[in-house]
Amino acid sequence: MKHRVAIVGAGVSGLTCGVVFAERGHRTTIFAKEIGQQTTSAVAGALWFPYDVEPADKAIPWALETYQTLINLARNAESGVSIIELRQLSRIGEIQIPDWAVPLGARFIPSEVENGAAREAATWTGNEGIKSCEFTSGFAITVPLMDTTIYLDHLANRFLKADGQITENVRLENLEDVDPKFDLVINCAGIGARELVHDADLEPHRGQVAIVPRIKDLPYAVVCDDAPLMYAIPRLNDCVFGGTNELSDDLAADSATTTRIVAECGRVLNIEKPNILAERVGLRPFRKSGVRVERNHLRDGRTVVHNYGHGGSGFTLSWGCAEKVFDLATGRAG
């Protein structure tokens, strides 16, 4: 049976679900208040790595499924997906490599030893020009990176090529407002699901980033989750400096925060203060009770499948969750 599918939300989750349904012959329309570079997804560093998401027993399998899909997409230079080394660092004790990362080739970054003592110059970032004394341990793993300035458009174009439609500037009070001609509704509203379906478990984890020019001799991403959170993610034409993770609804960029982010990244990377090309803020849709991928029914009897609450892992879980949504919607899963 082919459905008429309405997808609410045009971030990475909505677009990915759109591709999955449209390419399998379902008449699919995406409805969204914002599209493209206006979405929360556009602000993301979009480095594949499970972050700020629960529960692990569901998130990790979805992440690994997405990993395989993205590895394949990276063969297409126009997709915006590339493969990059991520160096995950810690300022506190010995970092642990997650069990799921070992089969993907994750490895500890060894300390260099001189005269029986570990060097303080940054082995953890592994470049003579990049120095930082405070990192005590780290590991490296090769992962997909989605350049949001390219990848989101790639998904949208792929969706439209499969005869999907996108309707923007749509503000829904509730899911029942979706035109009755759509017999299947997919809720990918992100943080908007808080009001749309009155989910009090959703909370906004505010992330602010600074976009700076591409940094010479930075061929890998650097991430440290210890306070202060910092990451530097090189893309094709620029570099994303971050960041923050705070409970807040404030979408306004804070200049003092930008100054702190750029100063910390510059210090770790041992570079002069770069020009700031842009400041961006997004609200990670973290759900305290875990990602919601669930089939239900609207008050008018239509089937709805919820797909939200991915926290900081929207890109990382996108294809795995979209496949689960498809299975739930078409009766291929309980």
Side-chain angles (χ1 to χ4, degrees):
M1 174 184 175
K2 298 300 182 184
H3 293 278
R4 291 190 65 120
V5 184
I7 297 175
V8 179
V12 67
S13 296
L15 289 172
T16 308
C17 284
V19 169
V20 167
F21 278 90
E23 289 188 346
R24 295 171 189 176
H26 298 271
R27 298 181 64 183
T28 308
T29 300
I30 292 175
F31 296 94
K33 183 170 63 174
E34 298 163 324
I35 65 171
Q37 296 304 306
Q38 283 71 53
T39 62
T40 295
S41 293
V43 183
L47 189 70
W48 183 94
F49 197 85
Y51 172 71
D52 200 26
V53 64
E54 296 290 345
D57 63 336
K58 289 185 177 180
I60 297 306
W62 288 330
L64 293 173
E65 186 174 352
T66 302
Y67 177 94
Q68 294 301 328
T69 301
L70 293 172
I71 291 292
N72 293 331
L73 280 175
R75 299 190 180 105
N76 174 8
E78 297 180 353
S79 70
V81 183
S82 59
I83 305 300
I84 192 171
E85 182 176 283
L86 160 63
R87 299 197 169 190
Q88 186 82 26
L89 311 177
S90 177
R91 299 181 177 93
I92 310 168
E94 290 298 315
I95 200 167
Q96 298 298 311
I97 296 179
D99 290 343
W100 54 262
V102 176
L104 302 184
R107 64 200 183 280
F108 287 110
I109 304 172
S111 296
E112 292 184 18
V113 175
E114 285 186 353
N115 300 322
R119 290 176 57 188
E120 286 191 342
T123 306
W124 310 121
T125 44
N127 185 313
E128 282 300 318
I130 300 174
K131 300 182 183 300
S132 180
C133 301
E134 76 267 25
F135 296 121
T136 59
S137 63
F139 68 86
I141 181 173
T142 302
V143 299
L145 168 65
M146 292 136 280
D147 186 329
T148 59
T149 65
I150 303 170
Y151 182 66
L152 293 174
D153 287 341
H154 169 76
L155 288 179
N157 291 334
R158 186 170 159 181
F159 174 64
L160 295 171
K161 187 177 179 180
D163 294 326
Q165 297 184 344
I166 298 176
T167 303
E168 60 180 306
N169 296 319
V170 176
R171 289 167 171 77
L172 301 173
E173 294 294 327
N174 54 69
L175 293 175
E176 282 78 10
D177 290 343
V178 172
D179 192 317
K181 73 180 181 182
F182 295 97
D183 62 291
L184 176 62
V185 178
I186 310 298
N187 174 18
C188 298
I191 197 65
R194 204 173 26 162
E195 285 74 36
L196 191 63
V197 296
H198 308 292
D199 190 338
D201 268 2
L202 267 180
E203 57 185 30
H205 286 190
R206 182 182 181 277
Q208 180 167 325
V209 300
I211 310 300
V212 302
R214 184 171 174 86
I215 298 168
K216 184 181 178 183
D217 300 326
L218 183 64
Y220 43 76
V222 179
V223 177
C224 179
D225 293 333
D226 306 328
L229 170 66
M230 71 78 54
Y231 50 87
I233 303 173
R235 305 193 296 197
L236 181 64
N237 299 309
D238 56 25
C239 186
V240 181
F241 278 1
T244 66
N245 189 359
E246 56 198 10
L247 185 60
S248 172
D249 274 308
D250 188 0
L251 281 166
D254 175 66
S255 59
T257 299
T258 296
T259 298
R260 179 189 61 74
I261 289 170
V262 172
E264 176 65 12
C265 289
R267 185 180 66 82
V268 168
L269 301 177
N270 195 35
I271 60 172
E272 296 294 325
K273 180 182 176 182
N275 293 327
I276 298 169
L277 303 177
E279 303 168 277
R280 304 291 305 275
V281 174
L283 305 179
R284 302 177 185 95
F286 179 81
R287 190 166 183 262
K288 290 179 283 187
S289 53
V291 179
R292 188 181 187 190
V293 180
E294 177 183 69
R295 176 177 171 143
N296 214 316
H297 290 91
L298 302 179
R299 290 189 297 272
D300 57 18
R302 285 181 290 170
T303 296
V304 59
V305 180
H306 298 287
N307 180 30
Y308 65 85
H310 305 94
S313 297
F315 286 85
T316 298
L317 304 183
S318 55
W319 288 99
C321 284
E323 290 292 344
K324 179 64 174 179
V325 167
F326 185 82
D327 288 349
L328 289 170
T330 57
R332 299 202 310 190

